[in-house]
Amino acid sequence: MEYMILIYSDERAWASFDEAALKAEYKKYIDYTKELMASGVLRGGSELKPSTTATTVRVRGGKVLTTDGPYAETKDQLGGYYLIDVPNLDEAVRWATKCPGSAYGSCEVRPLNPSPAPEAG
Amino acid sequence: MLARILDEIARREGPRILAGLIGRLGGNFDLAEEALQDAYQRALATWPSSGVPARPAAWLTLVAQRRAVDVLRRSGRQVEGAEEILAQLAAPEAVEAEGFELPDDRLRLIFTCCHPALAVPAQMALALRTLCGLTTREIARAFVEPEATTAQRLVRAKAKILEARIPYEVPSGAALEERLAGVLATIYLVFNEGYSATENESLVRSDLSAEALRLARLVVALLPGRPETLGLLALMLLHEARRESRADAEGVAIPLEEQDRASWDRAMIAEGLALLDAALARRTPGPYQIQAAIAALHAKSPAPEATDWPQISALYGALYRLAPTPVVALNAAAAIAMVAGPEEGLAWIDEIERDGTLEDYALLHAARADLLRRAGRHAEAREHYGTAIARSTNGAQRRFLARRLAQISAASPANAPPASPPGPPRSSG
């Protein structure tokens, strides 16, 4: 079953890191990604550009509403994700535990709905 | 007649059958429950002519499993993992030949219900529903919440187990240790529901107590030597040993000091004391061990007057430091009253009542009434017995309180004016 690991953290903390600290943090993600790849469960994943680059689109009654950013009031922002394929929630949680983001932010683990397209299987 | 036999079988074997079905149906609680209900219907339809089978639980399992296979076949791809489950269930007859339950089906069920990915109230509701077979209404009563809230909790928990694939298994390693506390709490909840049934005419539902003891023994076997697990089993045995003496023939609860100590189950007490010793030898005290130590002091005391109240009071103090809940404080107050007198106990109860969380808790009012009675303040005691009776949901408890009320009403003039509480009126309305 496929699960998304959604990594939420305080972007301002990231922005305040000096270069050495930033490098050390990225190294952790690189190692983690390598481990996921080596175990064969990795289906995809990416770091996102900061939430200041985000645009939210809503269509209400045929009218398009385009606004800046997602939820300005929350401290933690979605910063990246991994898509993994593991047998059950415990395995997914085990991987999320190892994700560097869970050490300072939080990782949301969510199963994916199977793709509705018959060709996808 | 047959309906009553089936009822008895369902109550005794239902949770066990359900646990096995949920396991084989890939954690699909709803499908398992529906299939089992269907099997009960078939039993009612066929047993009158065929007779009750030699192994009714195996019969019900087999019929329920066939029913589930039918549902899965017809569902196509609508049921999560239908094909996978069907492949595994290819030979349903196997259950008949083999015996139908792996030894730890219910242990798997309890670990699944107690998965940390479920909210704690949902864990408890699900455990009471599936392990004890309590109805949604009974669970709602136990939690003091609207039935719709409980129902919604159960629906969400079952859906999450299925959709997020919470594994139906006993975890290993660190995950097992991490989940043990929740499992022990749930087993104790099951025991307590059996020991003083929330909404029942009799005081006990012995089937639930027996089930809790069985589950605790399984956990001890699975994880030998854990002090709190040993402590919990000891605690439950020491309580269970007094079961026969806790109510009279008319179903009226009997307080500890008036129980016939000769009727206590000495073998069970001996086993409880030995388990407690083994737990305490590991020198890692915890709430269950302390509660077991308190129960042990009662069990070892040859007469009510010989009870070591100073030590019991000290143990409640230690328990309160580990688990500072108002219910523990209430028990501590009762013990203090035995050492320092009822007025001292009443002062503690005033303190607890200020907290407000036990406002609807019948035993708070019962404890206050009892201390007022001991202090000779009968008019006030009568008033609080009345409040306790109004809030009690257990028949045996209610009858006991009514008897006490009658006793003190006979001892003092019935038409005495109700005393108003001393001091300024309570600010918290």
Side-chain angles (χ1 to χ4, degrees), chain B residues 210-287:
Chain B
E211 174 62 9
L213 283 167
R214 207 194 63 85
L215 285 167
R217 286 183 199 283
L218 272 178
V219 177
V220 168
L222 182 77
L223 293 162
R226 293 299 190 291
E228 276 293 88
T229 310
L230 295 172
L232 174 64
L233 182 53
L235 171 64
M236 296 194 302
L237 285 166
L238 291 168
H239 277 316
E240 185 70 3
R242 298 202 295 256
R243 188 159 63 84
E244 292 301 322
S245 66
R246 292 182 68 231
D248 67 14
E250 282 128 47
V252 181
I254 303 172
L256 187 56
E257 73 217 33
E258 288 169 24
Q259 287 175 13
D260 172 14
R261 287 173 193 241
S263 74
W264 289 357
D265 187 328
R266 291 290 146 191
M268 222 180 250
I269 288 174
E271 190 191 354
L273 294 176
L275 282 161
L276 178 61
D277 281 346
L280 293 176
R282 286 168 201 268
R283 308 212 162 271
T284 321

Side-chain angles (χ1 to χ4, degrees), chain B residues 395-413:
Chain B
Q397 194 67 52
R398 225 171 21 243
R399 282 189 288 273
F400 161 71
L401 293 167
R403 180 180 287 181
R404 270 278 193 268
L405 179 58
Q407 280 165 359
I408 58 165
S409 296
S412 57

Side-chain angles (χ1 to χ4, degrees), chain A residues 1 3 86-91 93 111-115 118, chain B residues 77 80 115 117 160 162-167 169 171 175 179:
Chain A
M1 180 168 227
Y3 293 85
V86 291
N88 59 45
L89 181 68
D90 281 4
E91 282 296 300
V93 167
L112 265 67
N113 234 351
S115 169
Chain B
R77 295 189 57 143
E80 185 83 25
H115 197 286
K160 182 157 185 189
L162 197 59
E163 284 168 12
R165 280 210 196 163
I166 290 178
E169 65 188 21
R179 261 179 248 174

Side-chain angles (χ1 to χ4, degrees), chain A residues 20-40:
Chain A
L22 213 54
K23 234 177 165 168
E25 239 0 89
Y26 272 112
K27 169 90 169 61
K28 285 185 205 160
Y29 274 100
I30 290 164
D31 291 346
Y32 175 62
T33 309
K34 278 184 184 155
E35 198 183 341
L36 279 166
M37 285 168 83
S39 71

